Amino acid sequence: MRLVILDDYDLASEWAAKYIRNRIIQFRPSADKYFTLGLPTGSTPLGCYRKLIEYHKSGDLSFKYVKTFNMDEYVGLPRDHPESYHSYMWNNFFKHIDIEPQNTHILDGNAADLQAECETFEQIITAAGGIELFVGGIGPDGHIAFNEPGSSLVSRTRVKTLAKDTIVANARFFGNDLSKVPTMTLTVGVGTVMDAREVMILITGAHKAFALYKAIEEGVNHMWTVSAFQQHPRTIFVCDEDATLELRVKTVKYFKGLMHVHNQLVDPMHSMKHYKD
Amino acid sequence: MPSNKSVSDAPITQFVNCRILRDHSLQREDLWVREGKILNPEKLFFDEQGFADHKVDCGNKIIAPGFIDVQINGGYGVDFSQVTSDIKGGVALVARRILEHGVTSFCPTLVTSPPAIYKQVIPEVTLTDGGEEGAGVLGLHLEGPFISLEKRGAHPPQFLCSFEEGGMPDLLKIYGELENVAIVTMAPELANSGQAIRDLVRRGITVSLGHSMADLSKAEEAVQHGATFITHLFNAMLPFHHRDPGIVGLLTSDRLPADRTVYYGMIADGIHTHPAALRIAHRAHPAGLVLVTDAVPAMGLPAGRHTLGQQDIHIEGLHACVAGTTTLSGSIATMDMSVCVFGGCTVEEALEAASLHPAQLLGISHRKGTLDYGTDADFVILDDTLTVRETYIAGHLVWRK
């Protein structure tokens, strides 16, 4: 794995956004070859989305030939509820960029047949040629998407019941009223994300430090599902100082020492303005 | 991109690079319009997988709901209270010209007049939707003749009336019909006014208190009967007194029905009310403030002598008085000027006083006076000095500076 450590949240968000930008631009997406991007929700990626929007508004990055696949969505929450992941993606990303509506894919938590909805989602990913880069976050309990502790590490997109930890963590979005937080979600499986050609996990804040430690310094364990990516050929963890607080000094020093190598991935920054067609 | 919109193939316009008044604040959001209504872009994106057909760059200007003027007696030489050979034409002329002031809907106002005038004018002034031809007519505002002699202001005393038994028969005897009427101003201290108020409110007509000598308890009674508006607060009523606040006391009365908001019109021309008085009223009851022009036919015309109702008026600068006196007879300030002059509060509050509050007063805020999804796309584009640059009705550009 690559462990990219930046000083603070803003710098980590910016590094991640630059990486995504360069990956898309260097891929040279077109009508025949879409860039398939997996996307997360939550507070961690907000800074990254803001930077990507900036790059779009400055004319350097277009999402016209990008297809997006979100990781999860609540079951039974009305699609236009302000806390649904559809609302999140619209307000924090889609409405600011030039992505085409039919190229965005978010699981429908109000589908009549949830099982079929999940299977269809997997088929859409396959039909799109698989995911080029899956961006994700990590829960305080070490989960990727809503693959709660105990989820199979080869799981596919399915319905999951949320763990208590997650419900409590999400209560702040529902007026701190636990009874209002949805208890079930549709989520991509660990296996689904493992199928991506590359995975980037964003982890910021001291409250995620223990999960990061469990995910990368301990063994592969279905209780900390992000640990599955130790077995993925191309994973990048992008974090801030606070997220490394539970890691060994040796680990942090080693990866900080590699920053000049990591930075070659984001410097120089490419731009679609310079496409020669 | 191919069109696969499932709800409608009508063109969608997206106004970008603007600040819109929504949820009581100016937000950096785009405004989407389709088929004359404000469109929900998130629904469009996810449900219809739709997108905009045209984008309009607003140059970082402000988009506010179109202004609604519920008290305007005429303008550009047209006097709504006079019978002419082309009453409809007169209303249409004013409707078209006030688009320049950002007014997209209005209530043509008739001052105290003889029954003959009402019977000829009222049937002619029909409700209209508004569009390129001009602002929409929401209904007439009948200011009088059931008002107080002492507080008649510029209204001709010989045509004042009182209620005989009270109620609809008296109203119909004077007005003829109430088909196109949205608001009636009356003095509640007149005997039997309670029945009149109840009958009007039952017909969906807004009742306003004005040109009155009523004390606070009489005014509160009137509100209990159903009155919801005060015509040009402070003017033509007893002055506020700390032991008898009069009609002004309605702004902070604790004897009103729980679910009732009392709105109050204010002429913000800087002349009819001292700005400090305006601010006192606003701070006491910000949610009720409704900006009105009370514009006279001379509005828009050069200085000199003109007619209002059955009287002669003299214009000088921004003052309009009954000829030969110092009695004010309406203002010649325009709605956009009023919004600017109304300082001492936020931009959002000034804009809402000219749009949301009049819509709420008339019970039409589900389709006018806001930029909420599904409402009529009547709006104005303003620069930072709150000067109207463009006016839109049902999503169409109807005036540009």
Side-chain angles (χ1 to χ4, degrees):
Chain A
M1 73 164 177
R2 291 186 210 273
L3 181 62
V4 176
I5 305 169
L6 287 308
D7 285 345
D8 60 32
Y9 175 78
D10 290 332
L11 290 170
S13 302
E14 192 180 15
W15 197 99
K18 284 182 182 176
Y19 184 78
I20 296 171
R21 165 179 164 164
N22 274 1
R23 282 285 270 114
I24 295 175
I25 296 174
Q26 288 176 301
F27 183 88
R28 290 189 153 261
S30 66
D32 309 308
K33 193 179 67 157
Y34 279 79
F35 187 94
T36 45
L37 181 62
L39 292 176
T41 51
S43 39
T44 306
L46 285 175
C48 179
Y49 282 131
R50 273 196 290 272
K51 291 306 283 187
L52 288 172
I53 292 167
E54 235 180 76
Y55 300 152
H56 168 68
K57 289 210 181 325
S58 61
D60 293 303
L61 179 59
S62 163
F63 291 86
K64 197 157 144 69
Y65 297 118
V66 173
K67 285 186 179 165
T68 63
F69 297 84
N70 268 71
M71 298 187 124
D72 40 29
E73 174 61 288
Y74 290 112
V75 167
L77 199 61
R79 207 225 58 228
D80 55 7
H81 188 285
E83 291 302 327
S84 81
Y85 288 167
H86 281 78
S87 293
Y88 177 102
M89 290 308 297
W90 167 256
N91 284 309
N92 292 311
F93 199 43
F94 296 152
K95 81 176 175 194
H96 305 278
I97 58 173
D98 63 345
I99 193 156
E100 295 187 21
Q102 66 273 21
N103 290 336
T104 65
H105 301 278
I106 308 180
L107 286 154
D108 178 5
N110 293 299
D113 184 343
L114 296 174
Q115 184 60 32
E117 171 69 13
C118 293
E119 281 162 26
T120 308
F121 200 72
E122 290 273 345
Q123 284 158 15
I124 298 175
I125 294 176
T126 311
I131 305 232
E132 193 57 37
L133 170 63
F134 218 128
V135 182
I138 189 173
D141 59 357
H143 70 225
I144 175 81
F146 275 128
N147 293 288
E148 306 285 62
S151 295
S152 157
L153 298 178
V154 293
S155 50
R156 310 304 305 184
T157 305
R158 67 219 184 285
V159 182
K160 278 295 281 185
T161 306
L162 296 182
K164 185 71 187 218
D165 270 353
T166 308
I167 294 179
V168 168
N170 284 351
R172 71 187 196 272
F173 298 122
F174 293 86
N176 284 316
D177 183 351
L178 287 180
S179 67
K180 292 213 160 62
V181 185
T183 54
M184 297 215 298
T185 68
L186 301 183
T187 177
V188 292
V190 184
T192 316
V193 184
M194 281 289 286
D195 280 352
R197 283 182 276 289
E198 183 172 12
V199 177
M200 183 165 86
I201 308 286
L202 301 178
I203 312 183
T204 55
H207 60 301
K208 300 284 177 83
F210 192 74
L212 178 59
Y213 149 66
K214 281 290 188 184
I216 65 174
E217 283 189 342
E218 298 277 298
V220 174
N221 187 321
H222 66 175
M223 284 299 168
W224 302 88
T225 50
V226 174
S227 62
F229 298 102
Q230 293 178 26
Q231 298 199 296
H232 190 289
R234 282 183 79 187
T235 301
I236 308 184
F237 288 85
V238 180
C239 50
D240 63 358
E241 280 281 348
D242 285 348
T244 64
L245 287 173
E246 294 283 353
L247 298 179
R248 287 177 152 203
V249 175
K250 187 167 157 181
T251 311
V252 173
K253 282 194 166 181
Y254 171 67
F255 284 104
K256 277 192 172 174
L258 288 178
M259 272 313 285
H260 63 287
V261 175
H262 295 155
N263 282 333
Q264 284 167 15
L265 297 167
V266 296
D267 186 24
M269 269 220 291
H270 295 265
S271 168
M272 285 187 176
K273 287 181 189 164
H274 304 133
Y275 272 172
K276 287 166 189 58
D277 283 297
Chain B
M1 287 187 279
S3 163
N4 55 356
K5 297 169 207 159
S6 51
V7 171
S8 155
D9 267 330
I12 295 173
T13 309
Q14 179 186 2
F15 293 83
V16 302
N17 192 14
C18 50
R19 291 162 284 153
I20 73 174
L21 180 63
R22 185 171 280 159
D23 290 333
H24 314 293
S25 66
L26 284 175
Q27 305 176 358
R28 266 226 150 266
E29 291 285 348
D30 296 342
L31 187 74
W32 296 63
V33 177
R34 175 167 67 183
E35 287 181 305
K37 303 234 188 262
I38 310 285
L39 182 64
N40 181 342
E42 186 181 343
K43 230 168 129 48
L44 176 72
F45 187 89
F46 288 125
D47 287 351
E48 300 182 51
Q49 307 206 312
F51 44 84
D53 297 289
H54 316 288
K55 288 197 191 187
V56 175
D57 187 327
C58 299
N60 196 30
K61 294 206 200 36
I62 295 171
I63 301 187
F67 300 146
I68 301 175
D69 192 354
V70 301
Q71 187 172 6
I72 166 173
N73 307 289
Y76 304 96
V78 173
D79 181 350
F80 294 142
S81 305
Q82 278 225 323
V83 173
T84 66
S85 54
D86 186 13
I87 292 170
K88 280 194 197 304
V91 174
L93 193 162
V94 175
R96 190 169 45 78
R97 295 303 303 270
I98 57 179
L99 293 177
E100 296 167 27
H101 314 142
V103 178
T104 53
S105 306
F106 69 114
C107 295
T109 305
L110 300 188
V111 295
T112 296
S113 304
I117 301 259
Y118 293 121
K119 280 158 183 151
Q120 286 167 86
V121 174
I122 292 179
E124 287 290 310
V125 183
T126 49
L127 275 55
T128 63
D129 267 332
E132 274 159 16
E133 333 74 50
V137 172
L138 296 171
L140 287 156
H141 178 168
L142 304 179
E143 191 190 5
F146 298 98
I147 57 174
S148 147
L149 180 66
E150 296 95 329
K151 289 296 178 184
R152 69 184 184 281
H155 292 226
Q158 66 271 35
F159 299 122
L160 298 187
C161 293
S162 51
F163 297 109
E164 280 160 39
E165 313 110 28
M168 203 45 76
D170 285 328
L171 296 161
L172 291 176
K173 193 160 85 163
I174 298 299
Y175 295 135
E177 61 167 80
L178 291 167
E179 212 36 65
N180 302 323
V181 175
I183 309 174
V184 171
T185 291
M186 67 168 71
E189 72 272 20
L190 295 182
N192 301 322
S193 66
Q195 187 62 47
I197 296 174
R198 284 198 301 277
D199 286 351
L200 286 167
V201 169
R202 202 176 307 125
R203 271 195 70 146
I205 295 175
T206 301
V207 173
S208 182
L209 309 179
H211 287 279
S212 160
M213 291 283 284
D215 60 13
L216 180 54
S217 52
K218 208 70 199 100
E220 285 165 340
E221 248 179 72
V223 173
Q224 279 147 19
H225 285 303
T228 50
F229 195 42
I230 302 172
T231 299
H232 44 55
L233 187 77
F234 295 126
N235 300 108
M237 56 186 63
L238 290 175
F240 173 83
H241 185 282
H242 55 285
R243 276 192 296 278
D244 188 0
I247 292 178
V248 178
L250 285 177
L251 267 57
T252 49
S253 166
D254 58 355
R255 291 189 34 222
L256 305 180
D259 58 344
R260 191 78 56 78
T261 303
V262 171
Y263 295 90
Y264 54 100
M266 296 226 64
I267 306 173
D269 62 351
I271 295 166
H272 279 72
T273 306
H274 193 286
L278 180 50
R279 282 193 291 275
I280 287 179
H282 169 65
R283 285 183 210 174
H285 180 30
L289 175 51
V290 171
L291 289 176
V292 302
T293 60
D294 199 11
V296 293
M299 182 267 288
L301 295 181
R305 204 166 166 114
H306 307 273
T307 327
L308 169 60
Q310 310 292 312
Q311 290 203 324
D312 285 338
I313 307 300
H314 181 75
I315 308 284
E316 201 172 309
L318 262 188
H319 286 76
C321 298
V322 179
T325 76
T326 53
T327 307
L328 292 169
S329 71
S331 100
I332 46 179
T334 59
M335 194 54 139
D336 52 333
M337 262 191 243
S338 306
V339 172
C340 290
V341 164
F342 179 40
C345 71
T346 63
V347 168
E348 292 88 337
E349 285 174 314
L351 293 172
E352 286 191 336
S355 57
L356 174 65
H357 295 170
Q360 288 170 330
L361 165 70
L362 295 175
I364 55 175
S365 55
H366 55 282
R367 54 184 183 91
K368 299 248 188 248
T370 77
L371 295 177
D372 292 346
Y373 302 138
T375 63
D376 294 351
D378 296 349
F379 54 91
V380 284
I381 299 190
L382 310 153
D383 60 28
D384 279 318
T385 64
L386 295 187
T387 305
V388 178
R389 303 300 287 267
E390 288 172 21
T391 305
Y392 287 78
I393 292 185
H396 296 296
L397 178 65
V398 294
W399 183 79
R400 169 184 283 147
K401 197 171 171 77

